Amino acid sequence: MSIQLYGYWRSSASYRVRIALNLKHIDYEYVPIHLVKDGGQQKSANYQLLNPAMLVPTLVDQDKDITLNQSLAIIEYLDEVYPGEQTLLPKHKLDRARVRMLAHDIACDIQPLANLRVLHKLRDELKAENEQVNYWAKSFIESGFNALEKRLATRSGKYCFGYELSLADVCLVPQVYNALRFGVKMDHYPILKKISENCQKLPAFVEAAPENQIDAS
Amino acid sequence: MSIQLYGYWRSSASYRVRIALNLKHIDYEYVPIHLVKDGGQQKSANYQLLNPAMLVPTLVDQDKDITLNQSLAIIEYLDEVYPGEQTLLPKHKLDRARVRMLAHDIACDIQPLANLRVLHKLRDELKAENEQVNYWAKSFIESGFNALEKRLATRSGKYCFGYELSLADVCLVPQVYNALRFGVKMDHYPILKKISENCQKLPAFVEAAPENQIDAS
């Protein structure tokens, strides 16, 4: 198979890329990199050759001879190289900016603060209690969701950007999955909740869900 | 003036946008939002109307009737709407992906973990000592720079992506500024150091530097 995705079932950045590949009906081989087992398989010498940051996901496109990390860079790449029937960035420049803004609200201001390596560092190096770690993640997610709920009040529809699926939805659904793990109450965010539920009805999102991956445990 | 940039002198996301505007010779009005004074001016009711996330930067382009947050979304917007003589994303799709990847390495995996709101939370809510807070920021920056130094070994030249300035350089220079504040030794990263110094020779970067802003103190 020409495309390999190295990922972890629960990583929301990996989850984003799985959704995008599914929405575009791109066949790919999923290669699990377990972030906990074996002291973290992302630290193996072989994986470091692919991605020296020792993070997931990494996408290898053999046809194009390119190896990419960073989920949003990967998804923009897929959108440009394999537009297919489902593009994820709108055509109009102003609309593209609005969608990128929403996606980055999640990918730069929420997700980086509540992922595994950060929570491990709080626990292992700052000796934070489990309760403090949970509160840390939850409060950053909530403050991000508060802002996003207000931002979405103006232009959202069935999805984050009106009635067309976009990169913003691809980022939102994994973030909601993550939020629920930390006990965030989605009833406080009716727009985010509605959009996430609308997306979850689509097979591309269902098939990309963490619990449906071969490495889920 | 048609473009306003709401920012903070030391915010590296604001710094990125200033560099991009300067490189494109776009006139703009800089509106300082002091993140510490008055309990944080980003929390004012007026600013929240512009940006409910209470973060900087925010760019208002009156001609196009658009308000945008998220530095990378703003810069991609500027690049698409005002390409001018200095574009910041390469023309070739594969190269665009590579540049975005490097930019996101900084904007998603390094900067979010060492900014003011995160360090304040460590100090105020987790009761971390100053030394622990400094170590937190420094170690995330160092692990990001370790990976970036390896990634840049293959395709960098005078700048991150060969001999053309790009979005990656616009992200790198503010991150190096931030790294130095936390005592990161740039001699450990000869490629990053060289590229950052090459950029610093350009007026667009010098004029965007924190110490040259009207709100510097």
Side-chain angles (χ1 to χ4, degrees):
Chain A
M1 209 167 300
S2 152
I3 292 189
Q4 278 96 37
L5 174 66
Y6 294 77
Y8 178 58
W9 62 294
R10 260 188 173 163
S11 138
S12 53
S14 306
Y15 189 178
R16 291 176 199 148
V17 179
R18 294 194 301 259
I19 295 168
L21 287 162
N22 292 350
L23 282 170
K24 291 179 169 293
H25 301 289
I26 297 173
D27 266 349
Y28 68 99
E29 180 192 357
Y30 179 64
V31 186
I33 298 296
H34 203 293
L35 299 187
V36 183
K37 259 189 218 162
D38 310 328
Q41 296 174 346
Q42 74 280 14
K43 297 176 193 162
S44 76
N46 277 344
Y47 188 69
Q48 284 196 50
L49 287 178
L50 279 181
N51 187 345
M54 299 179 266
L55 297 168
V56 288
T58 304
L59 182 131
V60 178
D61 185 346
Q62 293 181 336
D63 272 358
K64 309 284 180 194
D65 196 17
I66 192 168
T67 299
L68 290 171
N69 66 312
Q70 290 299 339
S71 59
L72 265 54
I74 293 171
I75 296 170
E76 293 233 18
Y77 164 82
L78 295 172
D79 215 43
E80 293 190 356
V81 175
Y82 304 102
E85 286 177 20
Q86 177 68 63
T87 53
L88 295 167
L89 272 301
K91 284 228 168 94
H92 192 289
K93 291 169 186 179
L94 272 61
D95 291 343
R96 298 161 71 80
R98 291 186 177 107
V99 164
R100 284 195 183 110
M101 176 182 97
L102 298 171
H104 290 207
D105 276 341
I106 296 170
C108 300
D109 289 343
I110 304 179
Q111 194 275 337
L113 295 159
N115 66 23
L116 213 55
R117 70 175 182 140
V118 172
L119 305 184
H120 280 177
K121 202 178 190 86
L122 285 172
R123 195 172 294 144
D124 301 342
E125 298 187 9
L126 288 183
K127 307 298 174 203
E129 306 286 339
N130 281 341
E131 204 177 310
Q132 289 177 305
V133 172
N134 204 72
Y135 169 76
W136 169 280
K138 189 166 177 263
S139 66
F140 275 118
I141 297 169
E142 287 174 343
S143 83
F145 277 7
N146 283 336
L148 207 53
E149 181 80 9
K150 287 179 194 153
R151 251 194 254 288
L152 287 174
T154 49
R155 284 176 197 271
S156 66
K158 187 171 179 182
Y159 303 119
C160 287
F161 198 70
Y163 293 83
E164 297 294 331
L165 272 173
S166 74
L167 179 63
D169 305 298
V170 168
C171 291
L172 177 64
V173 168
Q175 189 57 62
V176 170
Y177 167 84
N178 192 260
L180 292 172
R181 287 182 63 202
F182 290 107
V184 173
K185 298 211 185 324
M186 289 308 297
D187 285 341
H188 296 172
Y189 311 101
I191 302 175
L192 299 182
K193 190 180 176 207
K194 176 197 70 182
I195 294 170
S196 173
E197 287 171 356
N198 288 338
C199 292
Q200 298 278 19
K201 291 177 191 150
L202 305 172
F205 285 80
V206 175
E207 286 157 22
E211 62 272 19
N212 295 331
Q213 306 314 303
I214 50 174
D215 54 338
S217 60
Chain B
M1 211 169 297
S2 150
I3 292 188
Q4 279 97 37
L5 174 66
Y6 294 78
Y8 178 59
W9 63 294
R10 259 185 174 164
S11 138
S12 52
S14 306
Y15 189 178
R16 290 176 200 150
V17 179
R18 293 193 301 259
I19 296 169
L21 287 162
N22 292 349
L23 282 169
K24 290 179 170 293
H25 301 290
I26 298 173
D27 266 349
Y28 68 99
E29 181 192 357
Y30 179 63
V31 186
I33 298 295
H34 203 293
L35 299 187
V36 182
K37 259 189 218 163
D38 310 328
Q41 296 174 344
Q42 74 281 15
K43 296 175 193 161
S44 75
N46 277 344
Y47 189 69
Q48 285 196 49
L49 287 177
L50 278 181
N51 187 345
M54 298 179 265
L55 298 168
V56 289
T58 304
L59 182 130
V60 178
D61 186 345
Q62 293 181 336
D63 272 358
K64 310 284 180 196
D65 195 18
I66 193 168
T67 299
L68 290 171
N69 66 310
Q70 290 299 338
S71 60
L72 265 54
I74 293 171
I75 297 170
E76 292 234 20
Y77 164 82
L78 295 173
D79 216 42
E80 293 190 356
V81 174
Y82 304 102
E85 284 178 21
Q86 177 68 62
T87 53
L88 295 168
L89 272 301
K91 285 230 168 93
H92 193 288
K93 291 170 186 178
L94 273 62
D95 291 343
R96 297 161 71 79
R98 292 185 177 108
V99 165
R100 284 195 184 111
M101 177 182 97
L102 299 171
H104 291 207
D105 276 341
I106 296 169
C108 300
D109 288 343
I110 304 178
Q111 193 275 337
L113 295 160
N115 66 23
L116 213 54
R117 70 175 182 141
V118 172
L119 306 184
H120 279 177
K121 202 178 189 84
L122 285 170
R123 195 171 295 144
D124 300 341
E125 298 186 9
L126 289 183
K127 307 297 173 204
E129 306 285 339
N130 281 342
E131 204 178 308
Q132 288 177 305
V133 172
N134 204 74
Y135 170 75
W136 168 280
K138 188 165 177 264
S139 66
F140 276 116
I141 297 169
E142 286 174 344
S143 84
F145 277 6
N146 283 335
L148 207 52
E149 182 80 11
K150 286 179 193 152
R151 249 193 256 289
L152 287 174
T154 49
R155 283 175 199 273
S156 67
K158 187 170 178 183
Y159 302 119
C160 287
F161 198 71
Y163 293 83
E164 296 293 332
L165 273 172
S166 74
L167 180 63
D169 304 297
V170 169
C171 291
L172 177 64
V173 169
Q175 189 58 62
V176 170
Y177 167 84
N178 193 261
L180 293 172
R181 287 182 63 202
F182 291 106
V184 172
K185 298 210 186 323
M186 289 307 299
D187 286 341
H188 296 174
Y189 312 101
I191 302 176
L192 299 182
K193 189 180 177 209
K194 176 198 71 181
I195 293 170
S196 173
E197 287 170 356
N198 288 338
C199 292
Q200 299 277 19
K201 291 177 191 150
L202 305 172
F205 284 80
V206 175
E207 286 158 23
E211 62 273 20
N212 295 331
Q213 306 314 303
I214 50 173
D215 54 336
S217 60

